[in-house]
CSV table of all heavy atoms in Angstrom, one decimal:
chain,number,residue,atom,x,y,z
O,1,MET,N,88.9,364.4,296.6
O,1,MET,CA,88.5,363.2,295.9
O,1,MET,C,88.8,362.0,296.8
O,1,MET,O,89.8,362.0,297.4
O,1,MET,CB,89.2,363.1,294.6
O,1,MET,CG,89.0,361.7,293.8
O,1,MET,SD,89.8,361.6,292.3
O,1,MET,CE,89.5,359.8,291.9
O,2,THR,N,87.9,361.1,296.9
O,2,THR,CA,88.0,360.0,297.6
O,2,THR,C,87.8,358.7,296.7
O,2,THR,O,87.1,358.7,295.7
O,2,THR,CB,87.1,359.8,298.8
O,2,THR,OG1,85.9,359.9,298.4
O,2,THR,CG2,87.3,361.0,299.8
O,3,ILE,N,88.3,357.6,297.2
O,3,ILE,CA,88.1,356.4,296.4
O,3,ILE,C,87.0,355.8,296.9
O,3,ILE,O,86.8,355.3,298.1
O,3,ILE,CB,89.4,355.5,296.5
O,3,ILE,CG1,90.6,356.2,296.0
O,3,ILE,CG2,89.1,354.3,295.8
O,3,ILE,CD1,91.9,355.4,296.2
O,4,ASP,N,85.9,355.6,296.1
O,4,ASP,CA,84.8,354.9,296.5
O,4,ASP,C,84.8,353.3,296.1
O,4,ASP,O,85.8,353.0,295.5
O,4,ASP,CB,83.4,355.5,296.1
O,4,ASP,CG,83.2,355.3,294.6
O,4,ASP,OD1,83.9,354.5,294.0
O,4,ASP,OD2,82.4,356.0,294.1
O,5,HIS,N,83.9,352.6,296.6
O,5,HIS,CA,84.1,351.2,296.5
O,5,HIS,C,84.0,350.7,295.1
O,5,HIS,O,84.6,349.7,294.6
O,5,HIS,CB,83.2,350.4,297.5
O,5,HIS,CG,83.7,350.6,298.9
O,5,HIS,ND1,84.7,349.8,299.4
O,5,HIS,CD2,83.4,351.4,300.0
O,5,HIS,CE1,84.9,350.0,300.6
O,5,HIS,NE2,84.0,351.0,301.0
O,6,ARG,N,83.1,351.5,294.3
O,6,ARG,CA,82.9,351.1,292.9
O,6,ARG,C,84.3,351.2,292.2
O,6,ARG,O,84.6,350.5,291.4
O,6,ARG,CB,81.9,351.9,292.3
O,6,ARG,CG,80.5,351.3,292.3
O,6,ARG,CD,79.6,352.1,291.6
O,6,ARG,NE,79.8,353.5,291.6
O,6,ARG,CZ,79.2,354.4,290.9
O,6,ARG,NH1,78.4,354.1,289.9
O,6,ARG,NH2,79.4,355.7,291.1
O,7,LEU,N,84.9,352.4,292.4
O,7,LEU,CA,86.2,352.5,291.8
O,7,LEU,C,87.2,351.5,292.3
O,7,LEU,O,88.0,351.0,291.4
O,7,LEU,CB,86.6,354.0,292.1
O,7,LEU,CG,88.1,354.3,291.6
O,7,LEU,CD1,88.2,354.2,290.1
O,7,LEU,CD2,88.5,355.7,292.0
O,8,LEU,N,87.2,351.2,293.6
O,8,LEU,CA,88.1,350.2,294.0
O,8,LEU,C,87.9,348.9,293.3
O,8,LEU,O,88.9,348.2,293.1
O,8,LEU,CB,88.1,350.2,295.6
O,8,LEU,CG,89.1,349.4,296.3
O,8,LEU,CD1,90.5,349.9,296.0
O,8,LEU,CD2,88.8,349.3,297.8
O,9,ASP,N,86.7,348.6,293.1
O,9,ASP,CA,86.4,347.3,292.5
O,9,ASP,C,87.0,347.3,291.0
O,9,ASP,O,87.3,346.1,290.6
O,9,ASP,CB,84.9,347.1,292.3
O,9,ASP,CG,84.2,346.7,293.7
O,9,ASP,OD1,85.0,346.3,294.5
O,9,ASP,OD2,83.1,346.8,293.7
O,10,LEU,N,87.2,348.4,290.4
O,10,LEU,CA,87.7,348.4,289.2
O,10,LEU,C,89.2,348.4,289.1
O,10,LEU,O,89.8,348.1,288.1
O,10,LEU,CB,87.2,349.6,288.4
O,10,LEU,CG,85.8,349.8,288.1
O,10,LEU,CD1,85.4,351.1,287.5
O,10,LEU,CD2,85.2,348.7,287.2
O,11,LEU,N,89.8,348.7,290.2
O,11,LEU,CA,91.3,348.8,290.2
O,11,LEU,C,91.8,347.4,290.4
O,11,LEU,O,91.6,346.7,291.6
O,11,LEU,CB,91.7,349.7,291.4
O,11,LEU,CG,91.5,351.2,291.0
O,11,LEU,CD1,91.8,352.0,292.3
O,11,LEU,CD2,92.5,351.6,289.9
O,12,VAL,N,92.6,346.9,289.6
O,12,VAL,CA,93.4,345.6,289.8
O,12,VAL,C,94.9,345.9,289.7
O,12,VAL,O,95.2,346.9,289.1
O,12,VAL,CB,92.8,344.6,288.9
O,12,VAL,CG1,91.4,344.3,289.2
O,12,VAL,CG2,93.0,344.9,287.4
O,13,CYS,N,95.6,345.0,290.2
O,13,CYS,CA,97.0,344.9,290.0
O,13,CYS,C,97.3,345.0,288.4
O,13,CYS,O,96.9,344.2,287.7
O,13,CYS,CB,97.7,343.8,290.7
O,13,CYS,SG,99.4,343.7,290.4
O,14,PRO,N,98.2,346.0,288.0
O,14,PRO,CA,98.6,345.9,286.6
O,14,PRO,C,99.5,344.9,286.2
O,14,PRO,O,99.6,344.5,285.0
O,14,PRO,CB,99.3,347.3,286.5
O,14,PRO,CG,99.9,347.6,287.8
O,14,PRO,CD,98.9,347.1,288.7
O,15,LEU,N,100.0,344.1,287.1
O,15,LEU,CA,100.9,343.1,286.8
O,15,LEU,C,100.1,341.6,286.7
O,15,LEU,O,100.2,340.9,285.8
O,15,LEU,CB,102.0,342.9,287.8
O,15,LEU,CG,102.9,344.2,288.0
O,15,LEU,CD1,104.0,344.0,289.1
O,15,LEU,CD2,103.5,344.5,286.8
O,16,CYS,N,99.4,341.4,287.8
O,16,CYS,CA,98.7,340.0,287.9
O,16,CYS,C,97.3,340.2,287.8
O,16,CYS,O,96.5,339.1,287.9
O,16,CYS,CB,99.2,339.3,289.2
O,16,CYS,SG,98.6,340.2,290.7
O,17,LYS,N,96.7,341.4,287.9
O,17,LYS,CA,95.2,341.5,287.6
O,17,LYS,C,94.4,341.0,288.9
O,17,LYS,O,93.2,340.9,288.7
O,17,LYS,CB,94.6,340.8,286.4
O,17,LYS,CG,95.4,341.1,285.2
O,17,LYS,CD,95.4,342.6,284.8
O,17,LYS,CE,96.3,342.9,283.4
O,17,LYS,NZ,96.7,344.3,283.3
O,18,SER,N,95.1,340.9,290.0
O,18,SER,CA,94.3,340.5,291.2
O,18,SER,C,93.7,341.7,291.8
O,18,SER,O,94.2,342.8,291.6
O,18,SER,CB,95.1,339.6,292.0
O,18,SER,OG,96.3,340.3,292.5
O,19,ASN,N,92.8,341.5,292.8
O,19,ASN,CA,92.2,342.6,293.5
O,19,ASN,C,93.2,343.2,294.4
O,19,ASN,O,94.2,342.5,295.0
O,19,ASN,CB,91.0,342.2,294.2
O,19,ASN,CG,89.9,341.9,293.3
O,19,ASN,OD1,89.7,342.5,292.3
O,19,ASN,ND2,89.1,340.8,293.7
O,20,LEU,N,93.0,344.5,294.8
O,20,LEU,CA,94.0,345.2,295.7
O,20,LEU,C,93.4,345.4,297.0
O,20,LEU,O,92.1,345.6,297.1
O,20,LEU,CB,94.3,346.5,295.0
O,20,LEU,CG,95.1,346.4,293.6
O,20,LEU,CD1,95.1,347.6,292.9
O,20,LEU,CD2,96.4,345.8,293.8
O,21,VAL,N,94.2,345.6,297.9
O,21,VAL,CA,93.9,346.0,299.3
O,21,VAL,C,94.1,347.5,299.6
O,21,VAL,O,95.3,347.8,299.4
O,21,VAL,CB,94.5,345.0,300.4
O,21,VAL,CG1,94.1,345.5,301.9
O,21,VAL,CG2,94.3,343.6,300.2
O,22,LEU,N,93.1,348.2,300.0
O,22,LEU,CA,93.3,349.6,300.1
O,22,LEU,C,93.7,349.9,301.7
O,22,LEU,O,93.1,349.4,302.6
O,22,LEU,CB,92.0,350.4,300.1
O,22,LEU,CG,92.0,351.8,300.1
O,22,LEU,CD1,93.0,352.6,299.3
O,22,LEU,CD2,90.6,352.4,300.1
O,23,LYS,N,94.9,350.6,301.8
O,23,LYS,CA,95.4,351.0,303.1
O,23,LYS,C,95.0,352.5,303.4
O,23,LYS,O,95.1,353.2,302.5
O,23,LYS,CB,97.0,350.8,303.2
O,23,LYS,CG,97.3,349.4,303.4
O,23,LYS,CD,98.8,349.2,303.6
O,23,LYS,CE,99.3,349.7,305.1
O,23,LYS,NZ,100.7,349.4,305.3
O,24,ARG,N,94.7,352.7,304.6
O,24,ARG,CA,94.3,354.1,305.0
O,24,ARG,C,95.2,354.5,306.1
O,24,ARG,O,95.6,353.7,307.0
O,24,ARG,CB,92.8,354.2,305.4
O,24,ARG,CG,91.9,353.8,304.3
O,24,ARG,CD,90.5,353.8,304.8
O,24,ARG,NE,89.5,353.4,303.8
O,24,ARG,CZ,88.9,354.1,303.0
O,24,ARG,NH1,89.2,355.4,302.9
O,24,ARG,NH2,88.1,353.6,302.1
O,25,ASP,N,95.4,355.9,306.4
O,25,ASP,CA,96.1,356.4,307.4
O,25,ASP,C,95.1,356.6,308.6
O,25,ASP,O,94.0,356.3,308.5
O,25,ASP,CB,96.9,357.7,307.0
O,25,ASP,CG,96.0,358.8,306.6
O,25,ASP,OD1,94.7,358.7,306.9
O,25,ASP,OD2,96.4,359.8,306.1
O,26,ALA,N,95.7,357.1,309.6
O,26,ALA,CA,94.9,357.3,310.8
O,26,ALA,C,93.7,358.2,310.6
O,26,ALA,O,92.7,358.2,311.3
O,26,ALA,CB,95.8,357.9,312.0
O,27,GLN,N,93.8,359.0,309.6
O,27,GLN,CA,92.6,359.9,309.4
O,27,GLN,C,91.7,359.3,308.2
O,27,GLN,O,90.8,359.9,307.6
O,27,GLN,CB,93.1,361.3,308.7
O,27,GLN,CG,93.5,362.3,309.8
O,27,GLN,CD,94.9,361.9,310.3
O,27,GLN,OE1,95.8,361.6,309.5
O,27,GLN,NE2,95.2,361.8,311.6
O,28,LEU,N,92.0,358.0,307.9
O,28,LEU,CA,91.2,357.1,307.1
O,28,LEU,C,91.3,357.6,305.5
O,28,LEU,O,90.5,357.2,304.7
O,28,LEU,CB,89.7,357.2,307.5
O,28,LEU,CG,89.4,356.5,308.8
O,28,LEU,CD1,87.8,356.5,309.0
O,28,LEU,CD2,89.9,355.1,308.8
O,29,ARG,N,92.3,358.4,305.3
O,29,ARG,CA,92.6,358.8,303.8
O,29,ARG,C,93.3,357.6,303.3
O,29,ARG,O,94.2,357.0,303.8
O,29,ARG,CB,93.5,360.0,303.8
O,29,ARG,CG,92.7,361.2,304.2
O,29,ARG,CD,93.7,362.5,304.2
O,29,ARG,NE,94.8,362.2,305.1
O,29,ARG,CZ,95.2,363.3,305.8
O,29,ARG,NH1,94.9,364.5,305.7
O,29,ARG,NH2,96.4,363.0,306.6
O,30,PRO,N,92.9,357.3,301.9
O,30,PRO,CA,93.7,356.2,301.3
O,30,PRO,C,95.3,356.6,301.2
O,30,PRO,O,95.5,357.7,300.7
O,30,PRO,CB,93.0,356.2,299.9
O,30,PRO,CG,91.7,356.8,300.1
O,30,PRO,CD,92.0,357.8,301.2
O,31,THR,N,96.0,355.6,301.4
O,31,THR,CA,97.5,355.9,301.2
O,31,THR,C,98.1,354.9,300.2
O,31,THR,O,99.0,355.4,299.4
O,31,THR,CB,98.2,355.7,302.6
O,31,THR,OG1,97.8,354.3,303.1
O,31,THR,CG2,97.7,356.8,303.6
O,32,GLU,N,97.8,353.7,300.2
O,32,GLU,CA,98.4,352.7,299.3
O,32,GLU,C,97.3,351.7,298.9
O,32,GLU,O,96.4,351.3,299.5
O,32,GLU,CB,99.5,352.0,299.9
O,32,GLU,CG,100.7,353.0,300.2
O,32,GLU,CD,101.9,352.2,300.8
O,32,GLU,OE1,101.6,351.3,301.8
O,32,GLU,OE2,103.1,352.4,300.4
O,33,LEU,N,97.5,351.2,297.7
O,33,LEU,CA,96.8,350.1,297.2
O,33,LEU,C,97.8,348.9,297.1
O,33,LEU,O,98.8,349.0,296.4
O,33,LEU,CB,96.2,350.3,295.9
O,33,LEU,CG,94.9,351.1,296.1
O,33,LEU,CD1,94.7,351.9,294.5
O,33,LEU,CD2,93.7,350.4,296.4
O,34,ILE,N,97.5,347.8,297.8
O,34,ILE,CA,98.5,346.7,298.0
O,34,ILE,C,98.0,345.5,297.2
O,34,ILE,O,97.0,345.0,297.3
O,34,ILE,CB,98.7,346.3,299.4
O,34,ILE,CG1,99.3,347.6,300.1
O,34,ILE,CG2,99.4,345.0,299.6
O,34,ILE,CD1,99.4,347.4,301.6
O,35,CYS,N,98.9,345.0,296.4
O,35,CYS,CA,98.7,343.6,295.8
O,35,CYS,C,99.4,342.6,296.6
O,35,CYS,O,100.6,342.6,296.8
O,35,CYS,CB,99.4,343.6,294.3
O,35,CYS,SG,99.3,342.0,293.7
O,36,VAL,N,98.6,341.7,297.2
O,36,VAL,CA,99.1,340.8,298.2
O,36,VAL,C,100.0,339.8,297.4
O,36,VAL,O,101.0,339.3,297.9
O,36,VAL,CB,97.9,340.1,298.9
O,36,VAL,CG1,98.4,339.0,299.8
O,36,VAL,CG2,97.1,341.2,299.7
O,37,ALA,N,99.5,339.4,296.2
O,37,ALA,CA,100.2,338.4,295.4
O,37,ALA,C,101.7,338.8,295.1
O,37,ALA,O,102.6,338.0,295.2
O,37,ALA,CB,99.5,338.0,294.2
O,38,ASP,N,101.8,340.0,294.6
O,38,ASP,CA,103.1,340.5,294.2
O,38,ASP,C,103.9,341.2,295.3
O,38,ASP,O,105.0,341.5,295.2
O,38,ASP,CB,103.0,341.6,293.1
O,38,ASP,CG,102.4,340.9,291.7
O,38,ASP,OD1,102.9,339.8,291.5
O,38,ASP,OD2,101.7,341.4,291.1
O,39,ARG,N,103.2,341.4,296.5
O,39,ARG,CA,103.7,342.2,297.6
O,39,ARG,C,104.3,343.5,297.2
O,39,ARG,O,105.5,343.9,297.3
O,39,ARG,CB,104.8,341.4,298.4
O,39,ARG,CG,104.2,340.1,298.9
O,39,ARG,CD,105.2,339.4,299.9
O,39,ARG,NE,105.4,340.3,301.1
O,39,ARG,CZ,104.6,340.3,302.1
O,39,ARG,NH1,103.6,339.5,302.1
O,39,ARG,NH2,104.7,341.1,303.2
O,40,LEU,N,103.4,344.2,296.4
O,40,LEU,CA,103.7,345.7,296.0
O,40,LEU,C,102.7,346.5,296.6
O,40,LEU,O,101.5,346.2,296.6
O,40,LEU,CB,103.8,345.7,294.4
O,40,LEU,CG,105.0,345.1,293.7
O,40,LEU,CD1,104.8,345.1,292.2
O,40,LEU,CD2,106.2,345.7,294.1
O,41,ALA,N,103.2,347.7,296.9
O,41,ALA,CA,102.2,348.8,297.3
O,41,ALA,C,102.2,349.9,296.4
O,41,ALA,O,103.3,350.6,296.1
O,41,ALA,CB,102.6,349.3,298.8
O,42,PHE,N,101.1,350.1,295.7
O,42,PHE,CA,100.9,351.3,294.8
O,42,PHE,C,100.4,352.5,295.5
O,42,PHE,O,99.6,352.4,296.3
O,42,PHE,CB,99.9,350.9,293.7
O,42,PHE,CG,100.4,349.7,292.8
O,42,PHE,CD1,100.0,348.5,293.3
O,42,PHE,CD2,101.3,349.9,291.8
O,42,PHE,CE1,100.4,347.3,292.4
O,42,PHE,CE2,101.6,348.8,291.1
O,42,PHE,CZ,101.3,347.6,291.4
O,43,PRO,N,101.2,353.6,295.3
O,43,PRO,CA,100.8,354.8,296.1
O,43,PRO,C,99.5,355.4,295.6
O,43,PRO,O,99.1,355.3,294.5
O,43,PRO,CB,102.0,355.8,295.8
O,43,PRO,CG,102.6,355.4,294.4
O,43,PRO,CD,102.3,353.8,294.3
O,44,VAL,N,98.9,356.1,296.7
O,44,VAL,CA,97.7,356.9,296.3
O,44,VAL,C,98.0,358.4,296.6
O,44,VAL,O,98.4,358.7,297.8
O,44,VAL,CB,96.5,356.5,297.1
O,44,VAL,CG1,95.3,357.5,296.8
O,44,VAL,CG2,96.1,355.1,296.9
O,45,ARG,N,98.1,359.2,295.6
O,45,ARG,CA,98.6,360.5,295.7
O,45,ARG,C,97.5,361.6,295.6
O,45,ARG,O,96.8,361.6,294.5
O,45,ARG,CB,99.7,360.9,294.7
O,45,ARG,CG,100.9,360.1,295.0
O,45,ARG,CD,102.2,360.7,294.3
O,45,ARG,NE,103.3,359.8,294.5
O,45,ARG,CZ,103.9,359.2,293.5
O,45,ARG,NH1,103.6,359.4,292.2
O,45,ARG,NH2,105.0,358.3,293.8
O,46,ASP,N,97.1,362.3,296.6
O,46,ASP,CA,95.9,363.2,296.6
O,46,ASP,C,94.7,362.5,296.1
O,46,ASP,O,93.8,363.1,295.3
O,46,ASP,CB,96.3,364.4,295.7
O,46,ASP,CG,97.5,365.3,296.0
O,46,ASP,OD1,97.7,365.4,297.3
O,46,ASP,OD2,98.2,365.6,295.1
O,47,GLY,N,94.6,361.2,296.5
O,47,GLY,CA,93.3,360.6,296.3
O,47,GLY,C,93.3,359.8,294.9
O,47,GLY,O,92.4,359.2,294.5
O,48,ILE,N,94.4,360.0,294.1
O,48,ILE,CA,94.5,359.3,292.9
O,48,ILE,C,95.6,358.2,292.9
O,48,ILE,O,96.6,358.3,293.2
O,48,ILE,CB,95.1,360.4,291.8
O,48,ILE,CG1,94.4,361.7,291.8
O,48,ILE,CG2,95.1,359.6,290.4
O,48,ILE,CD1,93.0,361.6,291.4
O,49,PRO,N,94.9,357.0,292.7
O,49,PRO,CA,95.9,355.8,292.6
O,49,PRO,C,96.9,355.9,291.5
O,49,PRO,O,96.5,356.2,290.3
O,49,PRO,CB,94.9,354.6,292.4
O,49,PRO,CG,93.5,355.1,292.6
O,49,PRO,CD,93.6,356.7,292.4
O,50,VAL,N,98.2,355.5,291.8
O,50,VAL,CA,99.2,355.6,290.7
O,50,VAL,C,99.5,354.1,290.5
O,50,VAL,O,100.2,353.5,291.3
O,50,VAL,CB,100.4,356.3,291.3
O,50,VAL,CG1,101.6,356.3,290.2
O,50,VAL,CG2,100.1,357.7,291.8
O,51,MET,N,99.0,353.6,289.4
O,51,MET,CA,99.1,352.2,289.1
O,51,MET,C,100.2,351.9,288.2
O,51,MET,O,100.1,351.4,287.1
O,51,MET,CB,97.8,351.7,288.5
O,51,MET,CG,96.6,351.8,289.5
O,51,MET,SD,96.7,351.5,291.1
O,51,MET,CE,96.9,349.7,291.0
O,52,LEU,N,101.3,352.3,288.5
O,52,LEU,CA,102.6,352.2,287.7
O,52,LEU,C,103.6,351.2,288.5
O,52,LEU,O,103.9,351.5,289.7
O,52,LEU,CB,103.3,353.4,287.5
O,52,LEU,CG,102.4,354.4,286.7
O,52,LEU,CD1,103.0,355.8,286.5
O,52,LEU,CD2,102.1,353.9,285.2
O,53,GLU,N,104.0,350.2,287.8
O,53,GLU,CA,105.0,349.3,288.5
O,53,GLU,C,106.2,350.0,289.0
O,53,GLU,O,106.7,349.7,290.1
O,53,GLU,CB,105.4,348.2,287.5
O,53,GLU,CG,106.3,347.1,288.1
O,53,GLU,CD,106.7,346.1,287.1
O,53,GLU,OE1,106.2,346.2,285.9
O,53,GLU,OE2,107.4,345.1,287.5
O,54,ASN,N,106.7,351.0,288.3
O,54,ASN,CA,107.9,351.7,288.8
O,54,ASN,C,107.7,352.6,289.8
O,54,ASN,O,108.7,353.2,290.4
O,54,ASN,CB,108.6,352.2,287.5
O,54,ASN,CG,107.9,353.3,286.7
O,54,ASN,OD1,106.8,353.7,287.3
O,54,ASN,ND2,108.5,353.8,285.7
O,55,GLU,N,106.4,352.9,290.2
O,55,GLU,CA,106.2,353.8,291.3
O,55,GLU,C,105.8,352.9,292.6
O,55,GLU,O,105.6,353.5,293.7
O,55,GLU,CB,105.0,354.6,291.1
O,55,GLU,CG,105.2,355.6,289.9
O,55,GLU,CD,105.9,356.9,290.3
O,55,GLU,OE1,106.0,357.1,291.6
O,55,GLU,OE2,106.6,357.5,289.4
O,56,ALA,N,105.6,351.6,292.3
O,56,ALA,CA,105.3,350.8,293.5
O,56,ALA,C,106.4,350.5,294.4
O,56,ALA,O,107.5,350.5,294.1
O,56,ALA,CB,104.7,349.4,292.9
O,57,ARG,N,106.0,350.3,295.7
O,57,ARG,CA,106.9,350.0,296.8
O,57,ARG,C,106.9,348.5,297.2
O,57,ARG,O,105.7,348.0,297.4
O,57,ARG,CB,106.4,350.8,298.0
O,57,ARG,CG,107.3,350.6,299.1
O,57,ARG,CD,106.9,351.5,300.3
O,57,ARG,NE,105.5,351.3,300.9
O,57,ARG,CZ,105.4,350.4,301.9
O,57,ARG,NH1,106.4,349.9,302.5
O,57,ARG,NH2,104.1,350.2,302.4
O,58,PRO,N,107.9,347.9,297.1
O,58,PRO,CA,108.0,346.5,297.5
O,58,PRO,C,107.8,346.4,298.9
O,58,PRO,O,108.3,347.1,299.8
O,58,PRO,CB,109.4,346.0,297.1
O,58,PRO,CG,110.1,347.0,296.3
O,58,PRO,CD,109.3,348.3,296.6
O,59,LEU,N,106.9,345.5,299.3
O,59,LEU,CA,106.6,345.3,300.7
O,59,LEU,C,107.7,344.4,301.3
O,59,LEU,O,107.9,343.4,300.9
O,59,LEU,CB,105.1,344.7,300.9
O,59,LEU,CG,103.9,345.5,300.5
O,59,LEU,CD1,102.8,344.7,300.8
O,59,LEU,CD2,103.9,346.7,301.4
O,60,PRO,N,108.2,344.9,302.5
O,60,PRO,CA,109.0,344.0,303.3
O,60,PRO,C,108.4,342.8,303.8
O,60,PRO,O,107.2,342.9,304.0
O,60,PRO,CB,109.5,345.0,304.4
O,60,PRO,CG,108.9,346.3,304.4
O,60,PRO,CD,107.9,346.2,303.1
O,61,ALA,N,109.0,341.8,303.9
O,61,ALA,CA,108.5,340.4,304.3
O,61,ALA,C,107.7,340.6,305.7
O,61,ALA,O,106.7,339.9,305.8
O,61,ALA,CB,109.6,339.4,304.4
O,62,GLU,N,108.2,341.5,306.6
O,62,GLU,CA,107.5,341.6,307.8
O,62,GLU,C,106.3,342.5,307.9
O,62,GLU,O,105.6,342.5,308.9
O,62,GLU,CB,108.5,342.1,308.9
O,62,GLU,CG,109.0,343.6,308.7
O,62,GLU,CD,110.2,343.6,307.8
O,62,GLU,OE1,110.5,342.6,307.0
O,62,GLU,OE2,110.8,344.6,307.8
O,63,GLU,N,106.0,343.2,306.7
O,63,GLU,CA,104.9,344.0,306.8
O,63,GLU,C,103.6,343.3,306.6
O,63,GLU,O,103.5,342.5,305.6
O,63,GLU,CB,105.1,345.2,305.7
O,63,GLU,CG,103.9,346.1,305.8
O,63,GLU,CD,104.2,347.5,305.0
O,63,GLU,OE1,105.5,347.8,305.0
O,63,GLU,OE2,103.2,348.1,304.5
O,64,ASP,N,102.6,343.5,307.5
O,64,ASP,CA,101.4,342.7,307.4
O,64,ASP,C,100.5,343.5,306.4
O,64,ASP,O,100.2,344.7,306.4
O,64,ASP,CB,100.7,342.9,308.8
O,64,ASP,CG,99.4,342.1,308.8
O,64,ASP,OD1,99.1,341.3,308.0
O,64,ASP,OD2,98.7,342.3,309.8
O,65,VAL,N,100.0,342.7,305.4
O,65,VAL,CA,99.2,343.1,304.4
O,65,VAL,C,97.8,342.7,304.5
O,65,VAL,O,96.9,343.0,303.7
O,65,VAL,CB,99.6,342.7,303.0
O,65,VAL,CG1,101.1,343.4,302.7
O,65,VAL,CG2,99.7,341.2,302.8
O,66,ALA,N,97.4,342.1,305.6
O,66,ALA,CA,96.1,341.6,305.8
O,66,ALA,C,95.1,342.8,306.0
O,66,ALA,O,95.5,343.8,306.5
O,66,ALA,CB,96.0,340.6,307.0
F,1,ZN,ZN1,99.8,341.9,291.4
């Protein structure tokens, strides 16, 4: 399963409802969905976004989210 752009359009941050930035690995598989406003990275496991605050990874200040 892959995340297509229509699905990505529907996914928003569960905390602030802003749009998310999809990160991919070197094989272009989705790895994380990032809320830039909250600096949280939600994991994508086996192509399934895990939109749970307690599963999210806080982004270190030095990590580029652009
Ligand atoms: Zn957010």
